[in-house]
Amino acid sequence: MMASPSAANPTAARARARMVERLRSDGIRDERVLNALNQVPRHAFVEEALASRAYEDTALPLGFQQTISQPFIVARMAELLVAGGRAMGKTLEVGAGCGYQAAVLSYLASDVYAIERIGKLLEKARANLRPLRLPNVRLKHADGSLGLPEVAPFDSIILAAAASAVPKMLVEQLAPLGRMVLPLALPSGEQVVVLIERAANGGFKETRLDAVRFVPLLPGTE
């Protein structure tokens, strides 16, 4: 039986618990989300030189001009997807990065399909996730803006990169009553979190929320 992250590294477990308490005091209320972040050893997803900063509430560089998202933003976007006691269900993550958010989502979703367009970064995500043995996470090297139509529909979709417009192909892959949360780049240069909810009759509701800062969503693969 695999040891829990807490048992493996008590110092990191204490730092992670403090991070979760900060998130709670900063307004994250869903205990399922807080528990998910408490389960995942964020220090295992960053470069060794940055491990001492892993539980700060800040984005950190991953190389390839990418970052691991700020814990508050990971928690906030997840909370939007499960708000109202909703189950996250089958989930698509666009922008797997180092694999950290996929690991968090694995504790909230029935299945996580995580897409990454940068092949070498996907290899890093696979290596980071392997020791955690998460059976419901699947990684794919693909153009995230196209989604995964062969696996759709998805109950939840989350983007870890800012789109200049809501990607039509992703919206079409939302199941009835599904939700998508993404950073949207505005013409002003600002970015905001957008929640898109699909009604049972196929209609959509769009809600603009917090200001954020993400790397841009780019097409293609490399």
Side-chain angles (χ1 to χ4, degrees):
M1 185 176 182
M2 184 180 66
S4 71
S6 299
N9 189 330
T11 302
R14 288 192 294 272
R16 192 158 54 252
R18 288 193 295 271
M19 176 190 78
V20 168
E21 286 307 311
R22 283 198 307 273
L23 294 174
R24 186 180 278 113
S25 66
D26 287 343
I28 303 299
R29 294 284 178 259
D30 195 297
E31 289 298 325
R32 294 169 297 169
V33 173
L34 292 167
N35 177 66
L37 272 93
N38 198 37
Q39 296 298 319
V40 180
R42 192 172 186 251
H43 65 276
F45 290 85
V46 301
E47 297 297 332
E48 193 172 347
L50 295 172
S52 63
R53 300 185 59 200
Y55 297 105
E56 295 177 9
D57 192 25
T58 187
L60 295 170
L62 292 175
F64 310 100
Q65 297 182 303
Q66 304 296 305
T67 59
I68 181 173
S69 295
Q70 175 187 356
F72 179 82
I73 296 299
V74 173
R76 171 68 170 144
M77 294 175 80
E79 192 170 56
L80 289 169
L81 290 173
V82 300
R86 175 182 181 272
M88 197 174 282
K90 185 166 72 172
T91 298
L92 175 67
E93 180 197 22
V94 175
C98 62
Y100 173 71
Q101 184 167 258
V104 172
L105 296 175
S106 76
Y107 288 92
L108 298 164
S110 56
D111 293 283
V112 178
Y113 294 84
I115 301 176
E116 176 53 54
R117 63 180 293 274
I118 302 172
K120 289 185 177 179
L121 191 52
L122 188 71
E123 291 173 14
K124 183 180 288 192
R126 287 191 197 282
N128 291 340
L129 287 165
R130 195 170 293 120
L132 301 184
R133 300 178 190 173
L134 301 171
N136 61 338
V137 176
R138 298 165 180 83
L139 300 178
K140 175 94 171 173
H141 183 217
D143 182 343
S145 63
L146 304 180
L148 286 177
E150 66 273 24
V151 187
F154 296 97
D155 302 299
S156 303
I157 299 177
I158 183 168
L159 276 70
S164 56
V166 176
K168 187 170 183 289
M169 288 194 69
L170 295 182
V171 172
E172 291 173 350
Q173 291 174 39
L174 267 183
L177 304 181
R179 292 180 186 173
M180 177 164 70
V181 63
L182 72 152
L184 184 68
L186 304 178
S188 64
E190 298 173 307
Q191 296 178 9
V192 293
V193 170
V194 173
L195 173 66
I196 295 172
E197 300 169 272
R198 186 167 197 167
N201 65 5
F204 294 93
K205 176 186 176 184
E206 181 177 311
T207 307
R208 295 188 176 188
L209 299 157
D210 320 352
V212 288
R213 178 57 57 188
F214 278 79
V215 297
L217 179 67
L218 299 176
T221 58
E222 60 179 75

